[in-house]
Structure formats: structure tokens, C-alpha cells
Amino acid sequence: YFKNKKELLLEALTYAFVNIKQLTGVQETSLFDGNLEAALTAFEKIHIQYYDFHEELEGLRHSDKDVAELYDSFYDTAMQQIFEQLPQAIKDDPNAKEKLSLVIALMEHYCHISAKEAVMATKKESPKSKAFELDLTYIRKKILEIAKELC
């Protein structure tokens, strides 16, 4: 059925992307239904639960053109679906898409560092360096403030 492992990978990624809402239990409507904190928590849980997969996907996204194209297509579709769920007053802003992009990028970054810490804690590993420790509670609070301001 598949000619090679790459075809299998691309098909598996397509399946995961198409079915991500069912696989994760998170709908795009829940991201901006007025409860940004719940949305960020759900987003964070996904990153923790699928940490290893996400790390592999990120690496492939940067090293494989086909994976990058598939990922970019999924990202564009997901962003459009989220955008369509925003209240009309927000969508009418001339920079609404840019603001949404900033909010999602901040949430994504927070989830990356939070998930890494959570996974390291479960593996009882410590960071290589403590010189740049971050207060995740503060970051989370600021992201939610910024998100409310932008969206």
C-alpha cells in the first residue's frame, strides 16, 4: 500500500492533523470562547501528552520539505478555523490575523517550555543549566493578559 516509510509517515501525519480535535479533545471553538485560561491549559496538556511526538515533528518540519509543507498546510487550516470562531468585532480589526498569530505563538512557546519541564520532572532529569530559569506562572499570567488585550 505504501511505497516507502516516508509515504507512511506523511499519511499518518495527515490522519493526525485531520483528526486532531478527536484525538486531543480540543475544539477550536474552545480556544476563544471567553476562557483563555482553560484553552491554554488544554493546549499545554496536549504538548505534555504528545511531547516526544511533537519534538520529532518539529525536527522533521525543519529538515524535510514534504513534512514542512504538510505542517504549514495544517497550520494555515487550523488558524483559519480559529479565526472564524472569533467574535466579529475582533475579526473587523485590520490586524486581527496578526494578533491571533501572536497569541498562538506565545501560547505555543509557553507550552514548549512548560511541557519540557513537566517531562523532565517525570523522568527525574534536571535542566543542563539553571542559569536561565523561568517563572512559568508569571509567563502564563502575562500571556493570558496579552491574549485578552489582543483578542
Side-chain angles (χ1 to χ4, degrees), residues 107-135:
M107 291 172 76
E108 180 84 6
H109 179 68
Y110 166 79
C111 289
H112 286 172
I113 57 178
S114 174
K116 183 176 182 178
E117 281 200 12
V119 169
M120 289 175 71
T122 62
K123 293 179 179 179
K124 301 200 178 359
E125 295 178 15
S126 61
K128 301 290 184 236
S129 167
K130 295 212 177 234
F132 197 70
E133 285 188 49
L134 299 172
D135 180 348

Side-chain angles (χ1 to χ4, degrees), residues 20-143:
I20 195 162
K21 292 177 227 172
Q22 292 80 13
L23 295 171
T24 62
V26 175
Q27 303 293 319
E28 68 271 357
T29 54
S30 67
L31 285 176
F32 291 95
D33 65 357
N35 191 348
L36 287 170
E37 189 159 1
L40 183 55
T41 298
F43 204 39
E44 185 177 16
K45 285 180 182 176
I46 292 167
H47 277 77
I48 292 168
Q49 184 176 357
Y50 298 102
Y51 180 79
D52 291 333
F53 173 74
H54 188 66
E55 289 295 299
E56 289 295 326
L57 179 58
E58 286 294 310
L60 284 171
R61 189 178 125 212
H62 295 292
S63 64
D64 186 287
K65 178 176 137 319
D66 296 326
V67 172
E69 287 175 5
L70 185 62
Y71 189 96
D72 290 346
S73 173
F74 166 72
Y75 176 84
D76 289 347
T77 300
M79 289 297 283
Q80 187 60 41
Q81 289 173 349
I82 293 168
F83 182 79
E84 289 169 6
Q85 298 301 318
L86 294 173
Q88 191 61 47
I90 293 173
K91 290 192 286 190
D92 289 342
D93 183 303
N95 296 107
K97 288 184 178 181
E98 291 78 10
K99 290 178 178 181
L100 176 62
S101 179
L102 286 169
V103 168
I104 296 296
L106 288 170
M107 291 172 76
E108 180 84 6
H109 179 68
Y110 166 79
C111 289
H112 286 172
I113 57 178
S114 174
K116 183 176 182 178
E117 281 200 12
V119 169
M120 289 175 71
T122 62
K123 293 179 179 179
K124 301 200 178 359
E125 295 178 15
S126 61
K128 301 290 184 236
S129 167
K130 295 212 177 234
F132 197 70
E133 285 188 49
L134 299 172
D135 180 348
L136 293 179
T137 304
Y138 174 81
I139 292 172
R140 180 185 183 87
K141 178 182 162 200
K142 293 310 278 184
I143 286 172

